[in-house]
Amino acid sequence: MAKKDNLPPRSVQWFGRDDIYGFIYRSWVKNRGVPQDQFDGRPVIGICNTWSELTPCNTHFRVLAEHVRHGVLEAGGFPLEFPVMSLGETLLRPTAMLYRNLASMDVEESIRGNPLDGVVLLGGCDKTTPAPLMGAASVDLPTVFVSGGPMLSGKYRGTDIGSGTNTWSMSEELRAGKITLEEFHEAESCMHRSHGHCMTMGTASTMASMVEALGVGMPGNAAIPAVDARRNVLARMAGRRIVEMVREKLVLSKILTREAFENAIRALAAIGGSTNAVIHLIAIARRVGVELSLDDFDRLGRGVHTLLNLMPSGKYLMEDFYYAGGLPAVLRELGENGLLNKDALTVNGRTIWENNKDAQCWSRDVIHGFKKPFKKDAGIAVLRGNLCPDGAIIKPSAATPKLMKHRGRAVVFENIEDFHRRIDDPKLDIDESCVMVLKNCGPKGYPGMAEVGNMPLPPKLLKKGVTDMVRISDARMSGTAYGTVVLHVAPEAAAGGTLALVQNGDMIELDVARRTLNLLVSEDELTKRKSRWQAPKPPLERGYWKLYFDHVLQANEGADLDFLVGKSGPFVPRDNH
Ligand code: FES
């Protein structure tokens, strides 16, 4: 089935034919007024659009796609826009992550099955970056990613408020009785006041930064606000550039190299980015055949300082980041400190260093330099121990320093419903030295590995002024959240990991400096408990949920479906009639 080298370009195998198939392939496309000369062998560019009103962060993508289209036409290409499944964090239940792999299949098959020579991917809300990239990576055509850009800063009673970050903090204040319901509702209208994705350094902004650091997006991709005209210019330039990339045969796998992923991992540490990027980068890498492990994140991120003073780790927002110089200023800092593979190629045909070596920083309060970093040695720490033999992660820059070495009594919640049922109970046997443990929220358990790892604290402790506690789960955490939260415990409870065996009153020891997380219970006792453990049934016995449950990999492997790892390439399938 693989395309042979002596075959004409992909789109020509549809549009460049004189037989009945050529008639069929061209004639129906002409129905909206496409002239014959568009079928002369010029590069056909797919504009893969994750627009949806069910994904509020991506609702400006029809306009963005038009700018890409203009760029493609200006460069002599033939643009064809197509929709794919969109995944919105805020509305989609039980979690958008459940559908990331499904959307990636949609993207992969839509690209391969159609007469496309190159593709521009549009994404914004969290999963709408990794899903298209995973799908496109498994086809491996020339590809450019255009992010939708962050919203303008939230403004509430004279102060900046950030997506998610202030949602969590104001929700805690409401539960502690420190703000009124009216104030809470007012903030709701002040937080999200323009097109774009979350404007904290949450998962969407992190993944847009990863796109730029990987070299798969144009310089400036990470931070230009969604409503800034320069976002549209970037989309237009991407449209022009993809046509050249097809002519240069610059396919995605030439960009997504091991060196590019190493750059992304270091950039992730420098921006204090979302823990979700760990799972997504591993999943994308495995699609192109680059082996990336959890340990790469710990090893490469160690010694990298967090430079950005952005929520949730700091106080500024993405708009400030853009005005201060954006990701180019961060990449320059990495390069000048020996932390960048400078020769990594990017989609504009230049190396990452050529793109960023002259980048300017306009505010050292927002983008710190390496000599005076915002936070030292942050990165993402990968923990191991009998509680997480295949790894777990914690984001030190979002954690409380004095809790990074902690021993405490486990207070166990068997699932998220159990948590919600008991957390507000004044009689709950818990104090601030306890370790909150949440089970069955991993890939199989939830299903889909929801962002519930940053469990809200018990109101009775909030009222005492407690602001953080050690929390452990097999779940993920929103990139906009914070706290001493251990995530992605693997294997997860629903797969029979040690997490499933933790009981109320067990002692747990966390030591981030030593990268350990242990359940202080004897092996004999754990063996006894394991013999009584029963594997859960699939949450649904049919459809995608069943497919997902049967085939999802654990967090340390990127939580992809086992049969999606790798690529099938851009072969042209058989004629359809
Ligand atoms: Fe879409 Fe945060 S909800 S990026």
Side-chain angles (χ1 to χ4, degrees), residues 57 89-90 124-126 197-198 204:
C57 305
E89 281 307 301
T90 52
C125 197
D126 296 11
H197 59 68
C198 290

Side-chain angles (χ1 to χ4, degrees), residues 297-455:
F297 286 81
D298 201 314
R299 183 175 58 80
L300 293 164
R302 249 186 227 231
V304 180
H305 308 313
T306 295
L307 305 181
L308 295 193
N309 182 5
L310 252 60
M311 289 185 202
S313 304
K315 71 173 180 182
Y316 292 107
L317 293 166
M318 287 300 286
E319 211 183 324
D320 308 302
F321 180 34
Y322 179 55
Y323 304 146
L327 197 71
V330 175
L331 294 172
R332 179 178 175 176
E333 281 292 322
L334 287 173
E336 287 180 346
N337 288 278
L339 295 166
L340 196 71
N341 296 315
K342 293 180 175 175
D343 293 334
L345 188 60
T346 75
V347 287
N348 70 354
R350 292 153 54 107
T351 67
I352 192 118
W353 191 236
E354 286 170 338
N355 283 341
N356 297 294
K357 63 182 167 40
D358 299 320
Q360 295 291 313
C361 174
W362 307 108
S363 169
R364 283 294 175 207
D365 196 27
V366 179
I367 306 173
H368 288 229
F370 259 75
K371 290 198 183 72
K372 268 178 89 178
F374 178 59
K375 288 193 179 172
K376 284 203 155 182
D377 292 327
I380 281 173
V382 176
L383 308 169
R384 302 218 189 243
N386 70 347
L387 193 46
C388 52
D390 291 338
I393 63 169
I394 185 168
K395 182 176 170 184
S397 65
T400 303
K402 74 173 170 36
L403 289 174
M404 303 268 270
K405 184 171 165 55
H406 184 78
R407 182 191 283 228
R409 168 171 66 87
V411 175
V412 178
F413 303 96
E414 290 298 325
N415 52 45
I416 195 67
E417 287 75 23
D418 183 35
F419 172 79
H420 288 308
R421 208 164 32 239
R422 292 163 51 215
I423 191 65
D424 290 346
D425 184 349
K427 295 207 272 303
L428 181 68
D429 181 16
I430 193 167
D431 62 48
E432 57 269 42
S433 70
C434 290
V435 174
M436 296 167 68
V437 176
L438 177 61
K439 302 179 184 177
N440 294 307
C441 294
K444 284 175 187 286
Y446 201 77
M449 204 180 178
E451 292 185 335
V452 294
N454 54 314
M455 290 166 262

